[in-house]
Amino acid sequence: MTDKIKTDKAPQAIGAYSQGIATDKFVFTSGQIGINPSTGELITENFGDEVRQVLMNVQSVLEAGGSNINNIIKLSVFITDLSNFKLVNDIFIDFFNGDYPARSVVEVSALPLNANIEIEAIGKK
């Protein structure tokens, strides 16, 4: 059994996909970019702020599906400039307080709406 996740605390889907899917044991988020759900604006002026917004969006989708940031099993991170890896890592250190999930970081040529970073997560319930 699966349930589609829909929350106003994360950006609405900008294509033919759900914000996430919840099963009886796991929550799978779709890729989240740095859109502020309150304003609908993509944060791109400051990369650190963009990363933090993406993580808050991931957190909101996980919570709407019955999981939370502490139950993340795996993150997939897509960035358009791998030279930002250290800043991403530093923000993750603060955000996860030493309890780190498994993670991949991949440089890509472009992301939706010209975002600089996109993150998808798998969390346990």
Side-chain angles (χ1 to χ4, degrees), residues 30-111:
S30 290
Q32 296 295 308
I33 58 175
I35 295 174
N36 180 324
S38 299
T39 66
E41 298 292 321
L42 177 65
I43 297 170
T44 57
E45 301 82 38
N46 180 294
F47 184 71
D49 291 343
E50 185 176 2
V51 173
R52 287 189 250 322
Q53 183 65 59
V54 172
L55 289 169
M56 288 187 288
N57 293 344
V58 167
Q59 180 175 351
S60 294
V61 175
L62 286 169
E63 289 173 354
S67 186
N68 62 60
I69 209 77
N70 297 318
N71 288 339
I72 292 176
I73 297 169
K74 172 76 165 67
L75 291 172
S76 297
V77 180
F78 308 94
I79 57 178
T80 57
D81 184 352
L82 203 53
S83 70
N84 286 321
F85 178 81
K86 182 181 180 335
L87 180 55
V88 170
N89 211 47
D90 290 344
I91 292 169
F92 275 39
I93 288 168
D94 289 337
F95 193 81
F96 289 103
N97 296 317
D99 189 18
Y100 310 121
R103 180 184 79 181
S104 301
V105 178
V106 179
E107 183 179 62
V108 296
S109 62
L111 291 167

